[in-house]
Amino acid sequence: MSLLTHPLIKNGWFKEVNNESFPGQAFSLRVSKILYAEKSKYQDVLVFKSTDFGNVLVLDGIIQCTERDEFAYQEMITHVAMFAHGNAKKVLIIGGGDGGVLREVVKHPSVETATLVEIDDMVIRIAKKYLPNMSCSFENDKVNVVLTDGFKFLKQVAMDSGRYDVIITDSSDPEGPAEAFFQKDYFQLLYNALAPNGVVISMASENIWLNINKLGHLRKVANEVFPVAKISNCTIPTYTSGQIALLCCSKDPQLDVSKPSRALPRDQEIKLFKYYNSQIHQASFILPTWADQIIYERAGC
Amino acid sequence: MSLLTHPLIKNGWFKEVNNESFPGQAFSLRVSKILYAEKSKYQDVLVFKSTDFGNVLVLDGIIQCTERDEFAYQEMITHVAMFAHGNAKKVLIIGGGDGGVLREVVKHPSVETATLVEIDDMVIRIAKKYLPNMSCSFENDKVNVVLTDGFKFLKQVAMDSGRYDVIITDSSDPEGPAEAFFQKDYFQLLYNALAPNGVVISMASENIWLNINKLGHLRKVANEVFPVAKISNCTIPTYTSGQIALLCCSKDPQLDVSKPSRALPRDQEIKLFKYYNSQIHQASFILPTWADQIIYERAGC
């Protein structure tokens, strides 16, 4: 058996460094073993076992998830949207090939169908093999997997508008196959594919500490399409700056996505979720003063 | 002029790595220029100019502050305690030789005296030279600097108990000169030195993602002395995991430190603070489900 190598792993450490996305800083994880290293049709795919964060999936050099902290992101991107809506029956996931969002979506008894649209089937295969706790819901009866480009899929869906209650865009960063998911056209497609009281949530790629003007711009673009567009902040140590912003939008101008429409009793929350609860749902939308000023373009900033 | 070097700076990057405190992960900053590298009587002191985070102060290999994000920590450790109290006149800072907390404390018109007790005068000198925006309040008339060990100082103060309204422990990590600040004896000294409605806040060294059991233990120890002991979470990208926990305690059992006793009008908050506001004060005490269970030892965890 040949020993796998990867250019970003040197002297037993994986170093995440990108002079355009996050210049002058780098995050490293110690590698126990490289499990997989291939180029798919769309991206560079790397999986390694880390010494302290479990298995790690890396796409195009950027950490997508580690077994130790993935629950934070998966739970927040899913349940903030699901509880903001309150009774989602038809759910669409764009991206999310690792299965983590799917695992969270099917925890909601209201869900009748969960459709996952992933461009790169290598991500799904890799997750099934190396991230079993994330990919555990692909066989669920409510789940439908479509292997195609999310943008194209939504264009087709838009013909038959008003279809989904919640749409979750769990993409990689805009540099690469996910580029189109950060444009106004995409938000318009999401809008068209939603039921009248529908909610969307997207991985915003940036965070308030990294490139806040870009994040503010993204929210503004979404707000040109959706009457409600707010930023939620999720802590997760293996993402750059230890956090990731989520952009949550509602088609109904009366629906404040920062408040759950429905909350479970605390004992249920404890059973079902490690990170999410109805209080942190609301707290995640409260931003530090400077960030709030820039993101919502308030006077005085 | 000799070219400065430091063993943690290689190929133009400073790498923060500590196999005991945060095994298997490392954070790096690109170095523009080493400004200062000496061993003081107490610790290894390094200051460098980074390419993207301004000047950076490093003690014993651990990042203490960068000019880009220091305001988050300085504002939260100061204003959470100050607004929980609501009308602090006498304030004590243990550590904090960089001056950042002092800068924030003197923003409160209620403050009559702010005493800063720092063991290592090299930190103050370095801050005055390389961190001018942090060390700008040492000359303020209300400020009194005492160069001694904080633990010893509090022992003397305890003779004359009930002296301070707010005490802020802005120390380095427990490995090194700050070790004593993480023990029950220290919390007892703080308790004795406080006025009856006094509030203390401490840098907890850990965060919920890093060593949550140790953090829970620290809170428990503090809670054996103080009737109220709660954890606030502050995001700051250059600290490990992108965040730091603050431990805030009250001598008055009726005072819920997670709620400000006093809030400024929003326009005042915007003028005075970049990070702190009365909403984020409260939101910072809301923890993810699993962290809340462990830290407060609630049933079912």
Side-chain angles (χ1 to χ4, degrees):
Chain A
M1 192 183 132
S2 69
L3 202 62
L4 292 172
T5 61
H6 191 277
L8 294 176
I9 296 180
K10 286 174 192 159
N11 304 316
W13 285 78
F14 165 79
K15 187 173 182 183
E16 186 188 58
V17 57
N18 186 316
N19 283 329
E20 283 184 21
S21 298
F22 41 88
Q25 62 179 312
F27 181 68
S28 303
L29 289 172
R30 194 164 48 193
V31 177
S32 171
K33 189 183 177 189
I34 301 180
L35 299 170
Y36 188 89
E38 287 286 341
K39 280 196 189 299
S40 80
K41 191 176 161 191
Y42 303 98
Q43 50 206 340
D44 180 272
V45 180
L46 164 68
V47 184
F48 65 86
K49 188 180 176 194
S50 66
T51 55
D52 294 84
F53 283 78
N55 289 350
V56 182
L57 171 65
V58 179
L59 298 180
D60 285 340
I62 303 294
I63 295 169
Q64 300 298 306
C65 53
T66 85
E67 288 185 310
R68 177 163 150 190
D69 64 2
E70 54 85 9
F71 67 91
Y73 169 76
Q74 315 296 344
E75 288 189 16
M76 287 299 275
I77 197 171
T78 304
H79 302 308
V80 164
M82 293 294 285
F83 282 105
H85 185 282
N87 188 32
K89 291 174 183 166
K90 296 191 187 305
V91 177
L92 176 64
I93 303 161
I94 304 290
D98 54 41
V101 168
L102 207 51
R103 176 191 69 200
E104 298 303 320
V105 165
V106 298
K107 286 181 180 173
H108 291 259
S110 64
V111 171
E112 292 168 2
T113 63
T115 302
L116 183 138
V117 179
E118 169 64 56
I119 196 171
D120 193 346
D121 67 333
M122 190 190 278
V123 175
I124 298 177
R125 283 187 286 113
I126 291 304
K128 285 183 177 173
K129 187 159 183 190
Y130 299 110
L131 302 165
N133 289 326
M134 293 181 71
S135 55
C136 52
S137 297
F138 278 105
E139 308 311 320
N140 188 297
D141 285 347
K142 295 173 177 176
V143 171
N144 175 30
V145 175
V146 184
L147 293 173
T148 189
D149 173 59
F151 199 89
K152 279 189 201 159
F153 180 84
L154 277 173
K155 268 191 179 166
Q156 290 159 355
V157 163
M159 308 277 286
D160 175 19
S161 69
R163 201 167 179 170
Y164 295 101
D165 299 311
V166 166
I167 306 178
I168 299 167
T169 304
D170 174 24
S171 70
S172 48
D173 288 334
E175 301 78 20
E179 189 185 355
F181 300 147
F182 296 82
Q183 315 286 340
K184 188 173 176 183
D185 284 0
Y186 182 68
F187 291 111
Q188 193 60 58
L189 286 176
L190 289 172
Y191 187 94
N192 296 345
L194 272 187
N197 61 343
V199 170
V200 297
I201 194 164
S202 296
M203 195 284 289
S205 175
E206 300 299 333
N207 65 65
I208 56 168
W209 284 104
L210 194 55
N211 197 333
I212 191 165
N213 292 322
K214 213 166 152 186
L215 181 61
H217 178 74
L218 184 70
R219 195 206 67 83
K220 192 181 172 186
V221 167
N223 208 184
E224 288 168 11
V225 176
F226 288 94
V228 177
K230 293 193 167 184
I231 295 293
S232 159
N233 195 43
C234 170
T235 73
I236 175 163
T238 59
Y239 283 0
T240 306
S241 313
Q243 58 206 277
I244 183 87
L246 306 170
L247 169 60
C248 192
C249 309
S250 162
K251 201 165 176 173
D252 173 2
Q254 302 306 317
L255 186 76
D256 179 358
V257 292
S258 71
K259 310 261 185 303
S261 290
R262 196 169 65 89
L264 297 180
R266 187 73 179 182
D267 64 327
Q268 284 287 309
E269 287 183 339
I270 292 165
K271 260 189 214 161
L272 286 168
F273 314 130
K274 280 187 79 178
Y275 192 103
Y276 181 86
N277 58 63
S278 63
Q279 284 187 293
I280 210 155
H281 180 134
Q282 296 172 73
S284 74
F285 286 90
I286 309 288
L287 301 181
T289 311
W290 109 97
D292 185 83
Q293 292 294 106
I294 293 174
I295 287 185
Y296 296 105
E297 300 175 278
R298 299 195 206 275
C301 71
Chain B
M1 191 183 134
S2 69
L3 202 62
L4 293 171
T5 61
H6 192 277
L8 293 176
I9 297 179
K10 285 174 192 159
N11 303 318
W13 285 78
F14 165 80
K15 187 174 180 181
E16 186 188 56
V17 57
N18 185 315
N19 284 329
E20 283 183 23
S21 298
F22 41 88
Q25 62 179 309
F27 181 68
S28 304
L29 288 173
R30 194 164 48 191
V31 178
S32 169
K33 189 184 177 187
I34 302 180
L35 299 171
Y36 189 88
E38 286 287 342
K39 279 194 190 299
S40 80
K41 192 177 160 190
Y42 303 98
Q43 52 206 338
D44 181 273
V45 180
L46 165 69
V47 183
F48 64 87
K49 187 179 177 196
S50 67
T51 55
D52 294 83
F53 284 77
N55 289 351
V56 182
L57 171 65
V58 179
L59 298 179
D60 286 339
I62 303 293
I63 295 169
Q64 301 298 308
C65 53
T66 84
E67 288 185 310
R68 177 162 148 189
D69 63 2
E70 54 86 9
F71 67 91
Y73 169 77
Q74 316 294 344
E75 289 189 16
M76 286 300 275
I77 196 170
T78 304
H79 303 306
V80 164
M82 294 294 285
F83 283 105
H85 184 283
N87 188 32
K89 291 175 183 166
K90 296 193 187 302
V91 177
L92 176 64
I93 304 161
I94 305 289
D98 54 39
V101 168
L102 208 51
R103 176 191 68 199
E104 298 304 319
V105 165
V106 300
K107 287 181 181 174
H108 292 258
S110 64
V111 172
E112 293 169 1
T113 62
T115 302
L116 182 136
V117 180
E118 169 64 55
I119 196 171
D120 193 347
D121 67 333
M122 190 189 277
V123 176
I124 298 177
R125 283 188 285 114
I126 291 305
K128 285 183 178 173
K129 186 158 184 192
Y130 298 111
L131 301 165
N133 288 326
M134 293 181 69
S135 56
C136 52
S137 298
F138 278 105
E139 308 312 319
N140 189 298
D141 285 346
K142 296 173 178 178
V143 171
N144 174 30
V145 175
V146 184
L147 291 174
T148 189
D149 173 58
F151 199 89
K152 279 188 200 159
F153 181 85
L154 277 173
K155 266 191 181 167
Q156 292 158 355
V157 164
M159 308 276 285
D160 176 19
S161 67
R163 202 167 180 171
Y164 295 102
D165 299 312
V166 165
I167 306 178
I168 300 168
T169 304
D170 175 24
S171 70
S172 48
D173 289 334
E175 301 78 19
E179 189 184 356
F181 299 148
F182 296 83
Q183 315 286 340
K184 188 172 176 182
D185 284 0
Y186 182 69
F187 291 111
Q188 192 61 57
L189 286 176
L190 289 172
Y191 187 94
N192 296 345
L194 271 188
N197 62 344
V199 170
V200 297
I201 195 163
S202 296
M203 193 286 287
S205 174
E206 301 297 333
N207 65 63
I208 57 168
W209 284 104
L210 195 55
N211 197 334
I212 190 165
N213 292 321
K214 214 165 152 186
L215 182 60
H217 177 73
L218 184 71
R219 194 205 69 82
K220 192 182 171 183
V221 167
N223 207 184
E224 287 167 13
V225 176
F226 288 94
V228 177
K230 294 193 169 185
I231 295 294
S232 158
N233 195 44
C234 171
T235 72
I236 175 161
T238 60
Y239 283 179
T240 306
S241 313
Q243 58 207 279
I244 183 85
L246 306 170
L247 170 60
C248 191
C249 308
S250 162
K251 201 165 175 172
D252 173 1
Q254 303 305 318
L255 186 75
D256 179 358
V257 292
S258 71
K259 311 261 186 301
S261 290
R262 197 169 64 89
L264 297 180
R266 186 74 179 182
D267 64 328
Q268 283 287 309
E269 287 183 339
I270 292 165
K271 259 189 216 161
L272 287 168
F273 315 129
K274 279 188 79 177
Y275 193 102
Y276 181 86
N277 57 64
S278 63
Q279 284 189 294
I280 210 154
H281 181 135
Q282 297 173 71
S284 74
F285 286 90
I286 309 287
L287 301 181
T289 311
W290 108 99
D292 184 84
Q293 292 292 108
I294 294 174
I295 287 185
Y296 296 104
E297 300 175 280
R298 299 195 205 277
C301 70

